[in-house]
Amino acid sequence: LKVKLHPIFNIYLKIFSGLQNDKIILENGDIEVEKCALAITDYSSYVFDFAKEKIPVIYFFPDQEEFYSGMNGYYRLTLPLEEGFGPVTDSVEELTKKIEEYIEEDCQEKEIYRKKMDGFFWMESDVMESLYWKLKSEE
């Protein structure tokens, strides 16, 4: 299990370092997304890196009420989690159950989320020209 804290939590690394062992690793640098089998996140933008690589995602969002109240400076997401790339959980028990399900299925993405990942990114060989024509056609 590789744990990547948001940079604003780096001041707490010493607290989490006691959890490290041969199975739990605190990542301080970049994550090698393509080497991951499953991603667990809240509303981090890292989710797009995992979706691009077609890596299954579970959203763990136990503090939804606080988030949507604007307490963190946020009160909504551009891409609501319910429309995101994986199931949304709000309890440790539910998260554990989802992790076990993915492990039992060899961390294969569920079809509904695979389709969202496949259709989310717009890839063209000549991105600049494609973007130009796409924007021009929407005038």
Side-chain angles (χ1 to χ4, degrees):
L1 175 66
K2 292 185 179 183
V3 178
K4 171 76 173 167
L5 298 176
H6 189 281
I8 64 173
F9 291 111
N10 282 344
I11 60 173
Y12 301 110
L13 279 174
K14 287 182 182 179
I15 295 170
F16 289 98
S17 65
L19 299 173
Q20 287 195 109
N21 58 42
D22 61 331
K23 294 182 181 179
I24 300 174
I25 301 164
L26 284 177
E27 286 287 339
N28 201 10
D30 291 333
I31 297 173
E32 294 180 272
V33 172
E34 64 281 353
K35 291 185 177 181
C36 295
L38 177 66
I40 303 165
T41 187
D42 53 2
Y43 47 87
S44 171
S45 60
Y46 270 117
V47 75
F48 298 106
D49 297 327
F50 290 103
K52 185 176 179 192
E53 295 295 326
K54 310 290 191 287
I55 295 174
V57 172
I58 301 172
Y59 294 97
F60 180 55
F61 201 13
D63 57 346
Q64 290 183 50
E65 187 175 326
E66 291 86 356
F67 176 86
Y68 291 119
S69 73
M71 187 173 151
N72 302 340
Y74 296 100
Y75 60 92
R76 67 182 173 93
L77 297 168
T78 305
L79 177 64
L81 298 184
E82 297 75 24
E83 297 174 25
F85 306 111
V88 180
T89 62
D90 63 5
S91 70
V92 172
E93 295 78 18
E94 191 177 4
L95 174 62
T96 303
K97 182 180 173 190
K98 292 293 180 191
I99 292 170
E100 289 171 347
E101 287 175 14
Y102 272 100
I103 290 172
E104 288 171 6
E105 296 169 6
D106 200 29
C107 290
Q108 294 299 309
E109 188 55 87
K110 301 195 181 343
E111 187 64 26
I112 185 172
Y113 303 120
R114 170 67 64 157
K115 287 180 181 179
K116 289 180 181 183
M117 290 176 179
D118 288 342
F120 189 80
F121 297 96
W122 177 47
M123 297 294 182
E124 296 285 336
S125 57
D126 187 348
V127 175
M128 289 177 53
E129 184 162 340
S130 297
L131 181 58
Y132 170 79
W133 288 109
K134 177 76 172 161
L135 292 171
K136 185 166 175 55
S137 70
E138 293 182 8
E139 292 181 325

